[in-house]
């Protein structure tokens, strides 16, 4: 069992930056692929970024490539999402998730989810 808690959301102006953190409980954090997803009102949950168990490999959704950076620290049981050049269309609830498999960008394959944190980007 893994419990995930996101933090760092809030209101930011377009062009600004934010850093999300996700803290995980449990002793098996490094055995999970970690991902960030987001969901805007009326839209499906969207893959934002993923990071491998070791942290050596990362993957990004097309809409955030070059602007967002995912990283993890297995010594702290934490995963981060650094976001720059934020746009109003980045407004959504952002979720941290953990997966035992290898599916990376499929939210239906993730095993554990945080409660989400709201990011609002004003124009």
């Amino acid at each position: 069992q893994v419990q995930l808690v996101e933090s760092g959301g809030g209101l930011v102006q377009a062009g600004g930056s934010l850093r999300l953190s996700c803290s995980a409980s449990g002793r098996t954090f490094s055995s999970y692929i970690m991902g960030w997803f987001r969901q805007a009102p009326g839209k499906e949950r969207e893959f934002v970024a993923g990071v491998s168990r070791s942290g050596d490999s990362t993957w990004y959704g097309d809409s955030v490539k070059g602007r967002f950076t995912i990283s993890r620290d297995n010594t702290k049981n934490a995963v981060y999402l650094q976001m720059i050049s934020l746009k109003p269309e980045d407004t959504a609830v952002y979720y941290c998730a953990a997966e035992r498999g290898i599916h990376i960008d499929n939210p239906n394959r993730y095993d554990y989810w945080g409660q989400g944190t709201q990011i609002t980007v004003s124009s």
Side-chain angles (χ1 to χ4, degrees):
Q1 188 80 9
V2 176
Q3 292 185 326
L4 303 171
V5 179
E6 302 97 338
S7 61
L11 175 65
V12 63
Q13 288 188 334
S17 302
L18 277 177
R19 187 189 193 217
L20 299 182
S21 299
C22 175
S23 178
S25 65
R27 295 176 289 179
T28 60
F29 177 72
S30 61
S31 67
Y32 293 89
I33 283 176
M34 298 300 298
W36 285 98
F37 292 80
R38 66 187 182 187
Q39 190 164 19
K43 295 188 176 181
E44 293 186 350
R45 194 162 292 192
E46 176 190 11
F47 171 73
V48 174
V51 61
S52 64
R53 293 169 176 83
S54 66
D56 290 343
S57 296
T58 56
W59 306 272
Y60 296 93
D62 289 341
S63 61
V64 307
K65 283 180 181 176
R67 299 188 298 122
F68 290 11
T69 302
I70 188 171
S71 62
R72 68 189 295 164
D73 186 340
N74 287 341
T75 66
K76 296 181 179 179
N77 279 15
V79 62
Y80 309 99
L81 186 68
Q82 179 67 50
M83 304 176 289
I84 65 170
S85 302
L86 283 161
K87 306 174 182 180
E89 50 263 45
D90 293 319
T91 295
V93 177
Y94 283 70
Y95 297 91
C96 170
E99 185 201 1
R100 286 184 289 236
I102 57 170
H103 298 282
I104 311 299
D105 61 352
N106 185 345
N108 296 321
R109 295 292 189 171
Y110 277 72
D111 301 288
Y112 302 103
W113 292 84
Q115 81 288 350
T117 185
Q118 175 72 45
I119 291 179
T120 302
V121 183
S122 62
S123 57

